[in-house]
Amino acid sequence: MPDGKAGIEELIAPLVAFRRDIHAHPELGFAEHRTAAAIAEQLRAIGLEVESGIGGTGVVGVLRNGDGKGSLGFRADMDALPIHEDTGLDYASRTPGIFHGCGHDGHVATLLGAARHLARTRHFNGTINFIFQPAEEGLGGAHKMIEDGLFDRFPCDQVYALHNWPDLPAGSARTRPGPIMAAADKFEILVSGRGGHAALPHQTPDAIVAASELALQLNMIVSRRIPPTSSAVLSVTQIAGGHAHNVLPAEVRLAGTVRTFDPAVQDVIEAALRDIAAGVALASGTRIDVSYNRYYPATINDAECAAHALAAAAAVCGDAAFAPDPAYTSEDFAFMLQARPGAYLWLGQGRPGKEAPLHHPHYDFNDEVIGTGIAWFTELAERLLPA
Ligand SMILES: [Zn+2]
Ligand SMILES: [Zn+2]
């Protein structure tokens, strides 16, 4: 039997250099032109068939071996965040206000490494599509690639992805069958009164009082409308209105987010939010307009694929297990999992003394886990497309 992990070690140094170059030159969603070009160049150098410009800046590299009809999709995200980096690293972002604060630079290096390794070892029979997607951070790049025919042009029986996870120690991995990341919804509410003199409140509907009532009522949806056995989060995150101490403002704006794992729970929350807005409007004499946007669905792992992801992780990580709970953050790999069965894995990258979480100005991807990630993708390919 071939040893799929042999030879990974010698790939690491150039991948770390590549990762740090991407880190120094971060690009926001759908603007990953330099990053995508560098990836395409690397994939071509390995000998893969490469297509660029899928769903904007997406890139796919195709690696075929043997006559097998089976196919897999392995995905990495490429985009950075609008955060000012504060790591002090010598390869820190050279673009003020843009930063690889979620480790997508590391995901790119890991998946390129897997392509390089599998192109050389070839202990599989079938087709592997290496998918580099744009705009994971809230802009739905995965959805755009699917709309652009991703799975028609590059058929995939199953799809897999990993995300580095600072809360887990380096060398460990977690996944789970069913929901692993939450659906993310965004609501924006405009409360309109008429505005007027603060000393004459009886002459104008009070948008501030109505908005306050709304913020309190919305915070009771999860505790009063959702069964205790289900779970959800609703947070009101913005409330803004008024400009003078003696003027009742004409408008107050509220915004917030809802996180759920079950579309039925999502439906209950949206309906309750709209009912409460209508009720408060009626009671206060204000006009209340609600905009409710379900931008990312829940990330739902196929049970069988989650078992494959775990078995592959157990073979290459010191500590691999099913996670008891999903995370309340969200992930647009959800769209790929709606289109194809697959699974998403959290790859531990925590280091003692360097605990900065994802999206924190001090965060940095841990290069030590690149090899583990490559070994996981390789193990999956060799198990699911046996030679
Ligand atoms: Zn992120
Ligand atoms: Zn991320």
Side-chain angles (χ1 to χ4, degrees):
M1 273 295 282
D3 177 359
K5 292 181 280 300
I8 289 178
E9 214 34 59
E10 69 199 51
L11 299 178
I12 302 300
L15 289 170
V16 169
F18 187 81
R19 199 283 285 184
R20 293 179 178 189
D21 178 69
I22 299 275
H23 188 96
H25 300 93
E27 295 170 303
L28 293 176
F30 295 123
E32 309 94 333
H33 302 289
R34 182 186 184 277
T35 308
I39 290 167
E41 186 189 316
Q42 293 270 329
L43 293 172
R44 282 196 190 94
I46 303 165
L48 270 59
E49 299 161 33
V50 179
E51 270 198 57
S52 298
I54 304 162
T57 43
V59 179
V60 177
V62 183
L63 177 63
R64 298 178 211 279
N65 202 49
D67 56 2
K69 295 281 171 277
S71 56
L72 293 172
F74 292 158
R75 168 278 207 175
D77 35 16
M78 305 188 289
D79 56 322
L81 285 158
I83 298 175
H84 193 81
E85 178 167 3
D86 189 21
T87 60
L89 293 164
D90 56 4
Y91 54 89
S93 171
R94 293 184 195 169
T95 311
I98 303 183
F99 164 45
H100 268 294
C102 204
H104 299 181
D105 50 345
H107 301 165
V108 164
T110 303
L111 193 60
L112 271 178
R116 186 165 287 258
H117 187 57
L118 282 158
R120 194 171 55 172
T121 55
R122 293 183 175 267
H123 300 139
F124 70 96
N125 183 19
T127 302
I128 306 173
N129 300 292
F130 295 90
I131 302 165
F132 295 86
Q133 76 147 85
E136 190 286 323
E137 297 288 359
L139 298 173
H143 186 55
K144 277 276 183 292
M145 285 189 88
I146 294 166
E147 274 185 340
D148 203 8
L150 174 66
F151 293 128
D152 303 319
R153 293 155 70 180
F154 307 95
C156 298
D157 298 334
Q158 298 175 15
V159 290
Y160 292 88
L162 61 76
H163 203 294
N164 76 93
W165 216 246
D167 288 347
L168 290 170
S172 62
R174 295 288 182 273
T175 184
R176 67 193 310 276
I180 185 161
M181 306 281 277
D185 305 345
K186 176 168 96 175
F187 60 84
E188 292 172 310
I189 300 175
L190 175 63
V191 182
S192 308
R194 199 165 48 240
H197 201 296
L200 304 168
H202 55 291
Q203 292 184 354
T204 178
D206 191 331
I208 295 245
V209 171
S212 307
E213 180 67 25
L214 205 47
L216 289 173
Q217 290 288 330
L218 295 183
N219 270 286
M220 280 191 270
I221 292 177
V222 172
S223 67
R224 302 292 88 186
R225 308 278 189 113
I226 304 301
T229 46
S230 297
S231 61
V233 174
L234 183 154
S235 291
V236 177
T237 53
Q238 290 174 283
I239 179 163
H243 57 277
H245 87 279
N246 55 356
V247 177
L248 290 171
E251 289 183 351
V252 177
R253 290 173 188 275
L254 295 96
T257 188
V258 173
R259 304 294 165 115
T260 53
F261 301 101
D262 175 353
V265 171
Q266 205 174 11
D267 289 345
V268 169
I269 292 179
E270 180 178 349
L273 184 147
R274 291 183 183 282
D275 284 352
I276 289 167
V280 170
L282 187 66
S284 64
T286 59
R287 177 194 159 111
I288 300 185
D289 297 299
V290 174
S291 142
Y292 193 99
N293 175 13
R294 303 181 183 203
Y295 66 96
Y296 280 0
T299 303
I300 311 285
N301 283 343
D302 175 83
E304 205 174 304
C305 295
H308 293 316
L310 177 62
V316 301
C317 297
D319 168 22
F322 278 146
D325 300 308
Y328 277 92
T329 43
S330 62
E331 163 62 72
D332 84 342
F333 187 60
F335 291 111
M336 295 198 187
L337 290 179
Q338 284 186 330
R340 292 292 180 275
Y344 184 76
L345 179 96
W346 297 327
L347 183 66
Q349 77 134 32
R351 291 166 281 191
K354 290 191 171 181
E355 291 92 357
L358 298 171
H359 294 206
H360 188 281
H362 292 165
Y363 167 87
D364 188 34
F365 181 83
N366 180 358
D367 290 319
E368 288 162 34
V369 306
I370 290 177
T372 315
I374 294 173
W376 179 68
F377 281 121
T378 303
E379 192 71 30
L380 273 174
E382 294 181 357
R383 281 165 181 262
L384 298 173
L385 301 173

mmCIF file of all heavy atoms in Angstrom, residues 234-274:
data_model
loop_
_atom_site.group_PDB
_atom_site.id
_atom_site.type_symbol
_atom_site.label_atom_id
_atom_site.label_comp_id
_atom_site.label_asym_id
_atom_site.label_seq_id
_atom_site.Cartn_x
_atom_site.Cartn_y
_atom_site.Cartn_z
ATOM 1 N N LEU A 234 -30.819 35.584 18.145
ATOM 2 C CA LEU A 234 -31.209 36.840 17.509
ATOM 3 C C LEU A 234 -30.506 37.948 18.279
ATOM 4 O O LEU A 234 -30.664 38.048 19.504
ATOM 5 C CB LEU A 234 -32.727 37.037 17.542
ATOM 6 C CG LEU A 234 -33.251 38.301 16.828
ATOM 7 C CD1 LEU A 234 -34.694 38.111 16.361
ATOM 8 C CD2 LEU A 234 -33.151 39.568 17.680
ATOM 9 N N SER A 235 -29.713 38.754 17.596
ATOM 10 C CA SER A 235 -29.056 39.891 18.234
ATOM 11 C C SER A 235 -29.398 41.174 17.501
ATOM 12 O O SER A 235 -29.219 41.259 16.284
ATOM 13 C CB SER A 235 -27.535 39.714 18.224
ATOM 14 O OG SER A 235 -27.154 38.674 19.090
ATOM 15 N N VAL A 236 -29.908 42.158 18.253
ATOM 16 C CA VAL A 236 -30.057 43.512 17.708
ATOM 17 C C VAL A 236 -28.692 44.175 17.891
ATOM 18 O O VAL A 236 -28.181 44.261 19.007
ATOM 19 C CB VAL A 236 -31.152 44.300 18.460
ATOM 20 C CG1 VAL A 236 -31.229 45.728 17.932
ATOM 21 C CG2 VAL A 236 -32.502 43.602 18.318
ATOM 22 N N THR A 237 -28.098 44.595 16.797
ATOM 23 C CA THR A 237 -26.706 45.058 16.856
ATOM 24 C C THR A 237 -26.540 46.550 16.568
ATOM 25 O O THR A 237 -25.476 47.101 16.803
ATOM 26 C CB THR A 237 -25.857 44.293 15.838
ATOM 27 O OG1 THR A 237 -26.495 44.419 14.563
ATOM 28 C CG2 THR A 237 -25.740 42.831 16.210
ATOM 29 N N GLN A 238 -27.588 47.179 16.021
ATOM 30 C CA GLN A 238 -27.488 48.610 15.731
ATOM 31 C C GLN A 238 -28.822 49.270 16.054
ATOM 32 O O GLN A 238 -29.885 48.712 15.765
ATOM 33 C CB GLN A 238 -27.202 48.850 14.238
ATOM 34 C CG GLN A 238 -25.812 48.447 13.800
ATOM 35 C CD GLN A 238 -25.684 48.575 12.291
ATOM 36 O OE1 GLN A 238 -26.166 47.740 11.547
ATOM 37 N NE2 GLN A 238 -25.057 49.646 11.853
ATOM 38 N N ILE A 239 -28.743 50.455 16.644
ATOM 39 C CA ILE A 239 -29.940 51.262 16.846
ATOM 40 C C ILE A 239 -29.474 52.710 16.766
ATOM 41 O O ILE A 239 -28.548 53.113 17.456
ATOM 42 C CB ILE A 239 -30.656 50.887 18.166
ATOM 43 C CG1 ILE A 239 -31.885 51.737 18.408
ATOM 44 C CG2 ILE A 239 -29.721 50.945 19.355
ATOM 45 C CD1 ILE A 239 -32.819 51.117 19.449
ATOM 46 N N ALA A 240 -30.033 53.457 15.841
ATOM 47 C CA ALA A 240 -29.519 54.803 15.599
ATOM 48 C C ALA A 240 -30.652 55.753 15.228
ATOM 49 O O ALA A 240 -31.516 55.426 14.411
ATOM 50 C CB ALA A 240 -28.499 54.773 14.459
ATOM 51 N N GLY A 241 -30.637 56.925 15.849
ATOM 52 C CA GLY A 241 -31.626 57.944 15.510
ATOM 53 C C GLY A 241 -31.430 59.168 16.386
ATOM 54 O O GLY A 241 -30.888 59.065 17.486
ATOM 55 N N GLY A 242 -31.850 60.300 15.890
ATOM 56 C CA GLY A 242 -31.811 61.524 16.664
ATOM 57 C C GLY A 242 -30.522 62.295 16.517
ATOM 58 O O GLY A 242 -29.493 61.724 16.170
ATOM 59 N N HIS A 243 -30.605 63.631 16.759
ATOM 60 C CA HIS A 243 -29.426 64.458 16.610
ATOM 61 C C HIS A 243 -29.395 65.614 17.610
ATOM 62 O O HIS A 243 -28.441 66.370 17.650
ATOM 63 C CB HIS A 243 -29.339 64.999 15.177
ATOM 64 C CG HIS A 243 -30.550 65.773 14.771
ATOM 65 N ND1 HIS A 243 -31.707 65.161 14.304
ATOM 66 C CD2 HIS A 243 -30.814 67.093 14.816
ATOM 67 C CE1 HIS A 243 -32.621 66.086 14.061
ATOM 68 N NE2 HIS A 243 -32.098 67.264 14.359
ATOM 69 N N ALA A 244 -30.454 65.775 18.408
ATOM 70 C CA ALA A 244 -30.457 66.894 19.356
ATOM 71 C C ALA A 244 -31.262 66.490 20.582
ATOM 72 O O ALA A 244 -32.198 65.694 20.486
ATOM 73 C CB ALA A 244 -31.074 68.133 18.715
ATOM 74 N N HIS A 245 -30.931 67.072 21.741
ATOM 75 C CA HIS A 245 -31.580 66.625 22.976
ATOM 76 C C HIS A 245 -33.043 67.059 23.050
ATOM 77 O O HIS A 245 -33.836 66.498 23.777
ATOM 78 C CB HIS A 245 -30.803 67.152 24.199
ATOM 79 C CG HIS A 245 -31.227 68.509 24.628
ATOM 80 N ND1 HIS A 245 -30.775 69.663 24.020
ATOM 81 C CD2 HIS A 245 -32.100 68.912 25.603
ATOM 82 C CE1 HIS A 245 -31.337 70.711 24.603
ATOM 83 N NE2 HIS A 245 -32.135 70.285 25.554
ATOM 84 N N ASN A 246 -33.412 68.042 22.247
ATOM 85 C CA ASN A 246 -34.772 68.573 22.373
ATOM 86 C C ASN A 246 -35.621 68.355 21.120
ATOM 87 O O ASN A 246 -36.592 69.042 20.887
ATOM 88 C CB ASN A 246 -34.717 70.061 22.731
ATOM 89 C CG ASN A 246 -33.883 70.858 21.732
ATOM 90 O OD1 ASN A 246 -33.299 70.260 20.818
ATOM 91 N ND2 ASN A 246 -33.840 72.166 21.901
ATOM 92 N N VAL A 247 -35.204 67.397 20.300
ATOM 93 C CA VAL A 247 -35.954 67.087 19.072
ATOM 94 C C VAL A 247 -36.298 65.609 19.048
ATOM 95 O O VAL A 247 -35.432 64.760 19.251
ATOM 96 C CB VAL A 247 -35.109 67.423 17.814
ATOM 97 C CG1 VAL A 247 -35.859 67.023 16.546
ATOM 98 C CG2 VAL A 247 -34.752 68.905 17.795
ATOM 99 N N LEU A 248 -37.566 65.295 18.794
ATOM 100 C CA LEU A 248 -37.946 63.902 18.560
ATOM 101 C C LEU A 248 -37.641 63.589 17.099
ATOM 102 O O LEU A 248 -38.149 64.264 16.206
ATOM 103 C CB LEU A 248 -39.437 63.702 18.832
ATOM 104 C CG LEU A 248 -39.853 63.800 20.303
ATOM 105 C CD1 LEU A 248 -41.366 63.817 20.422
ATOM 106 C CD2 LEU A 248 -39.256 62.643 21.098
ATOM 107 N N PRO A 249 -36.791 62.593 16.845
ATOM 108 C CA PRO A 249 -36.392 62.343 15.457
ATOM 109 C C PRO A 249 -37.531 61.730 14.645
ATOM 110 O O PRO A 249 -38.396 61.049 15.182
ATOM 111 C CB PRO A 249 -35.228 61.354 15.603
ATOM 112 C CG PRO A 249 -35.491 60.641 16.877
ATOM 113 C CD PRO A 249 -36.161 61.641 17.785
ATOM 114 N N ALA A 250 -37.473 61.957 13.344
ATOM 115 C CA ALA A 250 -38.483 61.392 12.445
ATOM 116 C C ALA A 250 -38.212 59.914 12.176
ATOM 117 O O ALA A 250 -39.119 59.169 11.845
ATOM 118 C CB ALA A 250 -38.497 62.172 11.127
ATOM 119 N N GLU A 251 -36.948 59.515 12.310
ATOM 120 C CA GLU A 251 -36.610 58.125 11.958
ATOM 121 C C GLU A 251 -35.624 57.522 12.951
ATOM 122 O O GLU A 251 -34.728 58.215 13.442
ATOM 123 C CB GLU A 251 -35.930 58.066 10.582
ATOM 124 C CG GLU A 251 -36.867 58.358 9.429
ATOM 125 C CD GLU A 251 -36.177 58.223 8.069
ATOM 126 O OE1 GLU A 251 -34.933 58.076 8.023
ATOM 127 O OE2 GLU A 251 -36.900 58.274 7.070
ATOM 128 N N VAL A 252 -35.791 56.224 13.201
ATOM 129 C CA VAL A 252 -34.790 55.452 13.943
ATOM 130 C C VAL A 252 -34.558 54.145 13.173
ATOM 131 O O VAL A 252 -35.511 53.523 12.707
ATOM 132 C CB VAL A 252 -35.250 55.134 15.386
ATOM 133 C CG1 VAL A 252 -34.213 54.275 16.101
ATOM 134 C CG2 VAL A 252 -35.493 56.425 16.164
ATOM 135 N N ARG A 253 -33.296 53.781 13.041
ATOM 136 C CA ARG A 253 -32.953 52.540 12.327
ATOM 137 C C ARG A 253 -32.430 51.500 13.301
ATOM 138 O O ARG A 253 -31.640 51.822 14.180
ATOM 139 C CB ARG A 253 -31.874 52.802 11.279
ATOM 140 C CG ARG A 253 -32.380 53.628 10.117
ATOM 141 C CD ARG A 253 -31.260 54.036 9.157
ATOM 142 N NE ARG A 253 -31.787 54.968 8.188
ATOM 143 C CZ ARG A 253 -32.420 54.611 7.065
ATOM 144 N NH1 ARG A 253 -32.554 53.319 6.774
ATOM 145 N NH2 ARG A 253 -32.907 55.501 6.237
ATOM 146 N N LEU A 254 -32.866 50.256 13.092
ATOM 147 C CA LEU A 254 -32.334 49.128 13.848
ATOM 148 C C LEU A 254 -31.807 48.093 12.852
ATOM 149 O O LEU A 254 -32.286 48.013 11.726
ATOM 150 C CB LEU A 254 -33.409 48.429 14.688
ATOM 151 C CG LEU A 254 -34.064 49.210 15.826
ATOM 152 C CD1 LEU A 254 -35.359 49.809 15.330
ATOM 153 C CD2 LEU A 254 -34.327 48.278 17.001
ATOM 154 N N ALA A 255 -30.843 47.314 13.299
ATOM 155 C CA ALA A 255 -30.367 46.203 12.470
ATOM 156 C C ALA A 255 -29.891 45.100 13.389
ATOM 157 O O ALA A 255 -29.651 45.315 14.586
ATOM 158 C CB ALA A 255 -29.233 46.657 11.560
ATOM 159 N N GLY A 256 -29.758 43.917 12.816
ATOM 160 C CA GLY A 256 -29.279 42.796 13.624
ATOM 161 C C GLY A 256 -29.149 41.538 12.807
ATOM 162 O O GLY A 256 -29.310 41.546 11.577
ATOM 163 N N THR A 257 -28.840 40.447 13.509
ATOM 164 C CA THR A 257 -28.619 39.185 12.817
ATOM 165 C C THR A 257 -29.370 38.061 13.513
ATOM 166 O O THR A 257 -29.637 38.133 14.724
ATOM 167 C CB THR A 257 -27.107 38.858 12.732
ATOM 168 O OG1 THR A 257 -26.910 37.717 11.899
ATOM 169 C CG2 THR A 257 -26.511 38.568 14.103
ATOM 170 N N VAL A 258 -29.716 37.044 12.738
ATOM 171 C CA VAL A 258 -30.384 35.846 13.254
ATOM 172 C C VAL A 258 -29.573 34.641 12.809
ATOM 173 O O VAL A 258 -29.160 34.569 11.641
ATOM 174 C CB VAL A 258 -31.826 35.735 12.705
ATOM 175 C CG1 VAL A 258 -32.465 34.415 13.108
ATOM 176 C CG2 VAL A 258 -32.671 36.917 13.180
ATOM 177 N N ARG A 259 -29.305 33.719 13.712
ATOM 178 C CA ARG A 259 -28.553 32.492 13.390
ATOM 179 C C ARG A 259 -29.402 31.280 13.773
ATOM 180 O O ARG A 259 -29.891 31.206 14.908
ATOM 181 C CB ARG A 259 -27.226 32.451 14.148
ATOM 182 C CG ARG A 259 -26.334 33.676 13.919
ATOM 183 C CD ARG A 259 -25.866 33.742 12.482
ATOM 184 N NE ARG A 259 -25.329 35.041 12.134
ATOM 185 C CZ ARG A 259 -24.051 35.257 11.798
ATOM 186 N NH1 ARG A 259 -23.200 34.256 11.778
ATOM 187 N NH2 ARG A 259 -23.645 36.452 11.443
ATOM 188 N N THR A 260 -29.554 30.363 12.827
ATOM 189 C CA THR A 260 -30.377 29.165 13.060
ATOM 190 C C THR A 260 -29.767 27.973 12.334
ATOM 191 O O THR A 260 -28.876 28.146 11.486
ATOM 192 C CB THR A 260 -31.805 29.360 12.489
ATOM 193 O OG1 THR A 260 -31.691 29.751 11.113
ATOM 194 C CG2 THR A 260 -32.583 30.418 13.247
ATOM 195 N N PHE A 261 -30.268 26.779 12.656
ATOM 196 C CA PHE A 261 -29.810 25.558 11.977
ATOM 197 C C PHE A 261 -30.936 24.853 11.234
ATOM 198 O O PHE A 261 -30.700 23.901 10.512
ATOM 199 C CB PHE A 261 -29.178 24.598 12.998
ATOM 200 C CG PHE A 261 -28.011 25.201 13.707
ATOM 201 C CD1 PHE A 261 -28.133 25.700 14.985
ATOM 202 C CD2 PHE A 261 -26.788 25.308 13.065
ATOM 203 C CE1 PHE A 261 -27.055 26.286 15.631
ATOM 204 C CE2 PHE A 261 -25.705 25.889 13.701
ATOM 205 C CZ PHE A 261 -25.833 26.381 14.986
ATOM 206 N N ASP A 262 -32.178 25.290 11.480
ATOM 207 C CA ASP A 262 -33.336 24.586 10.946
ATOM 208 C C ASP A 262 -34.218 25.614 10.220
ATOM 209 O O ASP A 262 -34.646 26.602 10.833
ATOM 210 C CB ASP A 262 -34.070 23.963 12.148
ATOM 211 C CG ASP A 262 -35.361 23.288 11.760
ATOM 212 O OD1 ASP A 262 -35.783 23.402 10.585
ATOM 213 O OD2 ASP A 262 -35.973 22.655 12.644
ATOM 214 N N PRO A 263 -34.514 25.395 8.929
ATOM 215 C CA PRO A 263 -35.329 26.374 8.193
ATOM 216 C C PRO A 263 -36.691 26.624 8.832
ATOM 217 O O PRO A 263 -37.224 27.735 8.717
ATOM 218 C CB PRO A 263 -35.480 25.733 6.802
ATOM 219 C CG PRO A 263 -34.308 24.808 6.674
ATOM 220 C CD PRO A 263 -34.006 24.319 8.063
ATOM 221 N N ALA A 264 -37.253 25.617 9.527
ATOM 222 C CA ALA A 264 -38.561 25.824 10.173
ATOM 223 C C ALA A 264 -38.429 26.848 11.306
ATOM 224 O O ALA A 264 -39.314 27.699 11.503
ATOM 225 C CB ALA A 264 -39.093 24.488 10.714
ATOM 226 N N VAL A 265 -37.328 26.787 12.036
ATOM 227 C CA VAL A 265 -37.076 27.764 13.112
ATOM 228 C C VAL A 265 -36.845 29.149 12.512
ATOM 229 O O VAL A 265 -37.342 30.172 13.013
ATOM 230 C CB VAL A 265 -35.864 27.307 13.963
ATOM 231 C CG1 VAL A 265 -35.438 28.403 14.940
ATOM 232 C CG2 VAL A 265 -36.197 26.022 14.716
ATOM 233 N N GLN A 266 -36.125 29.167 11.395
ATOM 234 C CA GLN A 266 -35.860 30.426 10.673
ATOM 235 C C GLN A 266 -37.197 31.074 10.267
ATOM 236 O O GLN A 266 -37.380 32.283 10.408
ATOM 237 C CB GLN A 266 -35.048 30.063 9.435
ATOM 238 C CG GLN A 266 -34.179 31.137 8.853
ATOM 239 C CD GLN A 266 -33.324 30.557 7.715
ATOM 240 O OE1 GLN A 266 -33.538 29.424 7.255
ATOM 241 N NE2 GLN A 266 -32.358 31.315 7.267
ATOM 242 N N ASP A 267 -38.128 30.257 9.762
ATOM 243 C CA ASP A 267 -39.446 30.762 9.345
ATOM 244 C C ASP A 267 -40.194 31.377 10.528
ATOM 245 O O ASP A 267 -40.801 32.448 10.402
ATOM 246 C CB ASP A 267 -40.307 29.619 8.760
ATOM 247 C CG ASP A 267 -39.804 29.151 7.411
ATOM 248 O OD1 ASP A 267 -38.987 29.863 6.783
ATOM 249 O OD2 ASP A 267 -40.224 28.052 6.977
ATOM 250 N N VAL A 268 -40.156 30.683 11.673
ATOM 251 C CA VAL A 268 -40.867 31.182 12.867
ATOM 252 C C VAL A 268 -40.296 32.533 13.285
ATOM 253 O O VAL A 268 -41.029 33.471 13.591
ATOM 254 C CB VAL A 268 -40.748 30.159 14.034
ATOM 255 C CG1 VAL A 268 -41.244 30.780 15.339
ATOM 256 C CG2 VAL A 268 -41.526 28.890 13.712
ATOM 257 N N ILE A 269 -38.960 32.648 13.254
ATOM 258 C CA ILE A 269 -38.333 33.896 13.711
ATOM 259 C C ILE A 269 -38.650 35.050 12.764
ATOM 260 O O ILE A 269 -39.027 36.142 13.195
ATOM 261 C CB ILE A 269 -36.807 33.707 13.856
ATOM 262 C CG1 ILE A 269 -36.526 32.747 15.022
ATOM 263 C CG2 ILE A 269 -36.108 35.056 14.083
ATOM 264 C CD1 ILE A 269 -35.066 32.456 15.259
ATOM 265 N N GLU A 270 -38.559 34.805 11.461
ATOM 266 C CA GLU A 270 -38.859 35.899 10.527
ATOM 267 C C GLU A 270 -40.314 36.346 10.663
ATOM 268 O O GLU A 270 -40.601 37.557 10.692
ATOM 269 C CB GLU A 270 -38.560 35.494 9.068
ATOM 270 C CG GLU A 270 -38.893 36.658 8.127
ATOM 271 C CD GLU A 270 -38.589 36.413 6.656
ATOM 272 O OE1 GLU A 270 -37.919 35.417 6.331
ATOM 273 O OE2 GLU A 270 -39.037 37.245 5.843
ATOM 274 N N ALA A 271 -41.222 35.369 10.773
ATOM 275 C CA ALA A 271 -42.649 35.713 10.887
ATOM 276 C C ALA A 271 -42.899 36.491 12.181
ATOM 277 O O ALA A 271 -43.630 37.492 12.190
ATOM 278 C CB ALA A 271 -43.500 34.441 10.849
ATOM 279 N N ALA A 272 -42.278 36.044 13.289
ATOM 280 C CA ALA A 272 -42.475 36.725 14.577
ATOM 281 C C ALA A 272 -41.930 38.148 14.520
ATOM 282 O O ALA A 272 -42.542 39.096 15.031
ATOM 283 C CB ALA A 272 -41.791 35.938 15.690
ATOM 284 N N LEU A 273 -40.778 38.307 13.891
ATOM 285 C CA LEU A 273 -40.163 39.635 13.772
ATOM 286 C C LEU A 273 -41.091 40.582 13.007
ATOM 287 O O LEU A 273 -41.323 41.732 13.417
ATOM 288 C CB LEU A 273 -38.804 39.498 13.091
ATOM 289 C CG LEU A 273 -37.941 40.750 12.959
ATOM 290 C CD1 LEU A 273 -36.457 40.368 13.042
ATOM 291 C CD2 LEU A 273 -38.197 41.474 11.643
ATOM 292 N N ARG A 274 -41.669 40.062 11.913
ATOM 293 C CA ARG A 274 -42.577 40.903 11.121
ATOM 294 C C ARG A 274 -43.861 41.222 11.894
ATOM 295 O O ARG A 274 -44.370 42.355 11.853
ATOM 296 C CB ARG A 274 -42.906 40.210 9.791
ATOM 297 C CG ARG A 274 -41.706 40.149 8.842
ATOM 298 C CD ARG A 274 -42.087 39.518 7.498
ATOM 299 N NE ARG A 274 -40.936 39.391 6.627
ATOM 300 C CZ ARG A 274 -40.385 40.389 5.919
ATOM 301 N NH1 ARG A 274 -40.928 41.607 5.977
ATOM 302 N NH2 ARG A 274 -39.335 40.173 5.162
#
